């Protein structure tokens, strides 16, 4: 690249500017694609683990809940339907809480390529500074 003090024709400067801008945009697009792909892969892995865990936990939870109902009925002398209602209500509340927490973590904002957006803002700032410096050099000449 030529030194900043050398005299280059304006068409050459503009040509270099457009070439560098095109290269920058292409690289930023590649970065954004890679970041979104990485985010999607992470979400996919998370959903797979979530489904696998749910499949394994459901039968175990049913057995444990049946044991809790039997323990309440036998230990406290409650009718089986009251024991089932107490255990079922507690598990329902816990399940709703877990669903709300899980849904809040699967928002679209998690897919936004934040690093790329930040980098684009920095690139725009640097480009503005360079254009203003080139303009000042051109005016001084």
């Amino acid at each position: 690249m030529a030194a900043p003090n050398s005299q280059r024709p304006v068409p050459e400067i503009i040509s270099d500017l457009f070439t560098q801008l095109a290269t920058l945009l292409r690289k930023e697009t590649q970065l954004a694609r890679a970041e979104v792909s990485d985010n999607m892969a992470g979400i996919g892995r998370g959903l797979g683990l979530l489904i696998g865990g749910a499949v394994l936990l459901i039968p175990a939870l049913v057995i444990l809940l049946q044991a809790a109902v039997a323990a309440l009925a036998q230990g406290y002398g409650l009718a089986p339907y009251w024991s089932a209602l107490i255990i079922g209500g507690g598990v329902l509340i816990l399940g709703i809480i877990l669903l709300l927490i899980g849904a809040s973590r699967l928002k679209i904002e998690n897919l936004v390529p934040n690093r790329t957006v930040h980098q684009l803002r920095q690139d725009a700032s640097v480009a503005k500074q360079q254009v203003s410096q080139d303009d000042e050099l051109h005016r001084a000449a």
Side-chain angles (χ1 to χ4, degrees):
M1 183 169 210
N5 293 337
S6 68
Q7 297 295 326
R8 294 190 324 168
V10 173
E12 183 182 335
I13 293 172
I14 292 174
S15 173
D16 284 350
L17 175 69
F18 283 121
T19 302
Q20 290 177 7
L21 182 62
T23 302
L24 176 66
L25 288 175
R26 186 173 53 253
K27 290 188 183 275
E28 293 295 344
T29 301
Q30 290 171 350
L31 177 62
R33 283 185 192 152
E35 192 173 350
V36 167
S37 176
D38 188 40
N39 289 350
M40 291 296 286
I43 288 176
R45 285 189 299 271
L47 284 174
L49 291 172
L50 184 70
I51 291 169
V55 166
L56 294 175
L57 287 175
I58 289 173
L61 183 61
V62 169
I63 293 168
L64 290 173
L65 293 175
Q66 288 174 339
V69 168
L72 269 182
Q74 188 176 11
Y76 292 100
L78 293 174
Y81 58 87
W82 282 113
S83 297
L85 185 63
I86 291 169
I87 297 298
V91 171
L92 175 69
I93 291 169
L94 180 62
I96 289 171
I97 291 169
L98 292 176
L99 281 174
L100 292 173
I101 291 171
S104 71
R105 293 188 181 177
L106 292 176
K107 291 187 177 178
I108 196 73
E109 291 88 25
N110 295 337
L111 296 177
V112 174
N114 292 321
R115 293 184 302 239
T116 302
V117 170
H118 178 69
Q119 186 62 44
L120 282 171
R121 287 183 180 145
Q122 283 183 334
D123 292 343
S125 174
V126 168
K128 285 179 185 177
Q129 288 175 354
Q130 293 225 340
V131 167
S132 67
Q133 287 175 355
D134 286 346
D135 190 35
E136 288 173 9
L137 286 175
H138 183 65
R139 286 182 187 170

